[in-house]
Amino acid sequence: AQKVTQAQTEISVVEKEDVTLDCVYETRDTTYYLFWYKQPPSGELVFLIRRNSFDEQNEISGRYSWNFQKSTSSFNFTITASQVVDSAVYFCALSEALNAGGTSYGKLTFGQGTILTVHP
Amino acid sequence: GEEVAQTPKHLVRGEGQKAKLYCAPIKGHSYVFWYQQVLKNEFKFLISFQNENVFDETGMPKERFSAKCLPNSPCSLEIQATKLEDSAVYFCASSQSAGVSPLHFGNGTRLTVT
């Protein structure tokens, strides 16, 4: 069975601080996808990144960066120089990749979410 | 369109009434997924489709819940005889094949059962 653990329930930082959100996953699949989504107070789910299990290269996008470590089954997310607009719930999620007439995402297993509050 | 469109945004039903939610996937996406978010943080997978065919329905409650994706129509999720515990935000997501596109979610439908 798949499992995603976001051990940090809530994090509170002051603007301009760096913050890292942890994500640890469990799966028996050799091919899988990892995601991060942001859910701001307005409620929508904003896609941030997708990473497949064969690509361990870390990624940077502006103030966001992701550290994928297959050896420790972790996919951590760092926000550099945080801003008030970063305040949201962040979800890490895992999906197996299926082959059934095409490669499809299996169902997503979400972590419990981390509530990030950035104070001015 | 370039986004997953869910309607309505909010839906209020009395206990025992029927609720029907709609999802128009991104054009060209053949996979559609439904998720239920209860208590703000917990997501539960309900069902997925490949075109109009059910792909995985392991998360669907056996009674009262049904879903369809018909050609040239939005996909739908229907709850018969709603119960208080059905109150949640229901999200729809769509994708092409996993190697090509990420999984994009709609803005969700908030169902309140009173």
Side-chain angles (χ1 to χ4, degrees):
Chain A
Q2 298 184 327
K3 188 178 177 182
V4 176
T5 302
Q6 294 180 252
Q8 305 145 311
T9 307
E10 287 190 58
I11 301 177
S12 183
V13 299
V14 176
E15 214 169 13
K16 295 187 184 151
E17 279 185 36
D18 298 347
V19 58
T20 295
L21 282 61
D22 297 332
C23 173
V24 173
Y25 63 92
E26 293 175 31
T27 180
R28 280 183 238 173
D29 299 309
T30 53
T31 304
Y32 52 89
Y33 288 89
L34 293 161
F35 299 80
W36 276 95
Y37 288 91
K38 173 182 179 181
Q39 189 172 41
S42 48
E44 70 271 26
L45 273 174
V46 179
F47 167 80
L48 296 178
I49 189 170
R50 174 195 62 167
R51 172 68 67 212
N52 76 48
S53 50
F54 296 114
D55 182 3
E56 284 192 75
Q57 201 167 8
N58 292 328
E59 183 157 338
I60 297 175
S61 175
R63 296 184 297 107
Y64 296 168
S65 62
W66 291 269
N67 184 355
F68 178 26
Q69 299 262 348
K70 219 167 169 178
S71 59
T72 55
S73 297
S74 65
F75 187 43
N76 297 337
F77 172 33
T78 297
I79 302 174
T80 303
S82 59
Q83 299 175 1
V84 172
V85 293
D86 296 327
S87 297
V89 185
Y90 289 86
F91 291 93
C92 180
L94 166 70
S95 167
E96 58 180 333
L98 304 176
N99 271 321
T103 303
S104 165
Y105 296 112
K107 55 191 174 190
L108 282 181
T109 299
F110 283 84
Q112 305 91 316
T114 297
I115 302 170
L116 174 64
T117 304
V118 182
H119 299 281
Chain B
E2 289 303 311
E3 60 178 33
V4 178
Q6 288 190 249
T7 55
K9 194 168 178 180
H10 299 282
L11 190 58
V12 179
R13 287 289 179 264
E15 214 173 354
Q17 290 186 317
K18 183 173 75 176
K20 196 162 185 179
L21 292 61
Y22 296 92
C23 168
I26 293 172
K27 198 173 179 180
H29 284 191
S30 51
Y31 294 94
V32 170
F33 301 77
W34 284 98
Y35 288 86
Q36 179 194 55
Q37 186 182 25
V38 181
L39 298 175
K40 193 64 180 172
N41 284 8
E42 294 177 27
F43 282 90
K44 179 189 173 189
F45 167 78
L46 295 175
I47 191 169
S48 62
F49 288 85
Q50 181 179 8
N51 297 312
E52 61 266 28
N53 303 308
V54 174
F55 194 70
D56 180 351
E57 59 181 345
T58 52
M60 281 289 265
K62 297 277 186 260
E63 298 173 351
R64 303 187 301 108
F65 282 63
S66 63
K68 289 179 192 174
C69 276
L70 299 174
N72 303 314
S73 297
C75 296
S76 63
L77 176 69
E78 190 167 316
I79 308 172
Q80 302 287 342
T82 53
K83 297 183 178 181
L84 295 176
E85 63 257 32
D86 298 331
S87 295
V89 180
Y90 291 83
F91 285 97
C92 173
S94 74
S95 75
Q96 291 179 327
S97 68
V100 173
S101 74
L103 198 53
H104 285 287
F105 282 81
N107 288 343
T109 292
R110 179 176 295 280
L111 172 64
T112 303
V113 181
T114 60

